[in-house]
Amino acid sequence: MRILVLGSGAREHAIILALRGESADHEIFAAPGNAGIAQDATVVALDPNDPAAVTTYANDEHIDLVVIGPEAPLVAGVADELRERGIPVFGPGRAAAQLEGSKSFAKRVMDAAGVPTGRSVRAHTRDELAAALDGFGAPYVVKADGLAAGKGVIVTDDRDAALAHADAYLGASPVLVEEFLEGPEVSLFFLCDGDHVLPLSPAQDYKRLRDGDEGPNTGGMGAYSPLPWLLERFGGEDAFVDLVTTTIAEPVIHQLDAEGTPFIGLLYAGLVLTDDGVKVIEFNARFGDPETQVVLPRLVDPLSDLLLAAASGHLEDFSRPAFAKATAVTVVLASEGYPSAPVTGRVLTGLDAAAAVDGVHLAHAATGRTDEGLVATGGRVLNVVALGTTFAESTSRAYSALAKIGLEGGQYRTDIAARVIDT
């Protein structure tokens, strides 16, 4: 197939690597891509958020499938215009993408579908915000109602910090104050064709910047998959996935379909396993980053077939995707100053040596090529991804490879997958 992947991060690189790994015959294009992606796909100078430009390119270049990676093109309506021209696209239209684009929209849909989630209050003013904070009490959970690149959430015991976080968004849009849900978090992806869903394998990511879940929230500093500890509480991964599919994913997809806004693409369910059961923290309308980097390398079935079936409305023809028993760990290398003020333009070294470690590959997030070589162009620079037969093996491989990479001021967590190191 001729496949166009929209986006420029490690998530998109992971998608491209999965597509490239299944068939050398695919012609893969990326817009705008990055320096690492350029090694595995043809990079196109195209604005991924411009519906007309993307549709014209896909039509002129006879693209068989468009895969939308980040959230911004979805909310901009890129998928809508592609579908109007009859071009298969994996990604929801603007209306259904509000499941991620608006937290209050997502809460309304969950309520209508009977999906378990935390209580919330939508605050428009400082006074409403303060009242909601006092009503729920600490720990305080405040979320930007719209898109915030994974950084719109604060969870804190400091009321002043919660107020200050909300102040950054209140002028432009409301914020949501939610009850704090306590328990381990799980990310679970679902392929959707508007009527049917197929689950992938769950993963756990690490949002905080520093070891021990300290420091500010980030877009994600690492992840691992599968989750062996699901066995104790749910009897195994399959039982857990079945539960979430029937009580969360299917009701939401059916509710959106009933409202005339069918969801076609990737439903990301951010879940918390509370004492009262599994509840939804948030939905995203695209593959999660960095969880994609550990889920897709374990996927046995051809990704392109699944994505095209979802885009074409034929997921009922497919069984639940199969996954290898391998363990997968990814660790994010970030620039100095990330997430508030990342320092960019610094040279990266040792990438070939890192990629040469057994079971390791690199997914580039923010890299560019200059006369000096590869440089960091953003906060999260790249992902070291390692596969193994045990988590001890995959984790050791990931950190061995990371030690070979040079980036002045670079930072990363040293405790990714520590919880499962003995499995």
Side-chain angles (χ1 to χ4, degrees), residues 117-121 136-137 139-141 177-181 279:
T117 186
R119 295 175 297 119
S120 67
V121 172
F136 284 119
Y140 304 106
V141 182
V177 181
E178 298 188 359
E179 68 170 319
F180 175 73
L181 298 176
K279 296 187 179 183

Side-chain angles (χ1 to χ4, degrees), residues 248-300:
I248 292 173
E250 289 178 343
V252 163
I253 294 305
H254 294 159
Q255 179 65 33
L256 288 171
D257 191 34
E259 293 183 6
T261 54
F263 190 101
I264 301 167
L266 196 290
L267 176 67
Y268 168 122
L271 310 166
V272 59
L273 314 187
T274 74
D275 290 340
D276 296 325
V278 182
K279 296 187 179 183
V280 177
I281 303 173
E282 65 174 354
F283 286 124
N284 290 334
R286 37 73 189 181
F287 279 105
D289 188 343
E291 298 98 323
T292 301
Q293 289 86 295
V294 291
V295 172
L296 292 189
R298 299 179 49 242
L299 179 65
V300 173

Side-chain angles (χ1 to χ4, degrees), residues 10 15 37-38 106 158 160 214 251 259 279 310 409:
I15 292 169
I37 288 174
D158 186 337
D160 289 339
E214 299 292 334
E259 293 183 6
K279 296 187 179 183

Side-chain angles (χ1 to χ4, degrees), residues 60-100:
D60 291 348
E61 296 298 322
H62 306 290
I63 297 297
D64 298 305
L65 174 66
V66 178
V67 181
I68 301 179
E71 59 272 26
L74 299 172
V75 176
V78 171
D80 299 275
E81 190 143 345
L82 286 164
R83 286 197 180 93
E84 288 175 8
R85 294 288 291 273
I87 300 168
V89 52
F90 184 79
R94 180 190 283 112
Q98 287 302 301
L99 202 61
E100 175 173 3

Side-chain angles (χ1 to χ4, degrees), residues 91-163:
R94 180 190 283 112
Q98 287 302 301
L99 202 61
E100 175 173 3
S102 169
K103 298 293 188 294
S104 56
F105 175 87
K107 287 289 186 182
R108 182 193 63 75
V109 170
M110 282 188 274
D111 287 344
V115 168
T117 186
R119 295 175 297 119
S120 67
V121 172
R122 194 174 190 224
H124 297 78
T125 67
R126 198 60 156 38
D127 288 343
E128 291 177 353
L129 171 68
L133 292 175
D134 294 338
F136 284 119
Y140 304 106
V141 182
V142 180
K143 297 181 178 181
D145 191 36
L147 297 178
K151 305 177 187 69
V153 179
I154 188 172
V155 181
T156 179
D157 289 320
D158 186 337
R159 186 175 183 276
D160 289 339
L163 288 167

Side-chain angles (χ1 to χ4, degrees), residues 55 78 214 327 377:
T55 302
V78 171
E214 299 292 334
T327 59
T377 59

Side-chain angles (χ1 to χ4, degrees), residues 350-367:
L351 299 191
D352 290 341
V357 174
D358 191 29
V360 167
H361 67 268
L362 305 181
H364 288 238
T367 59

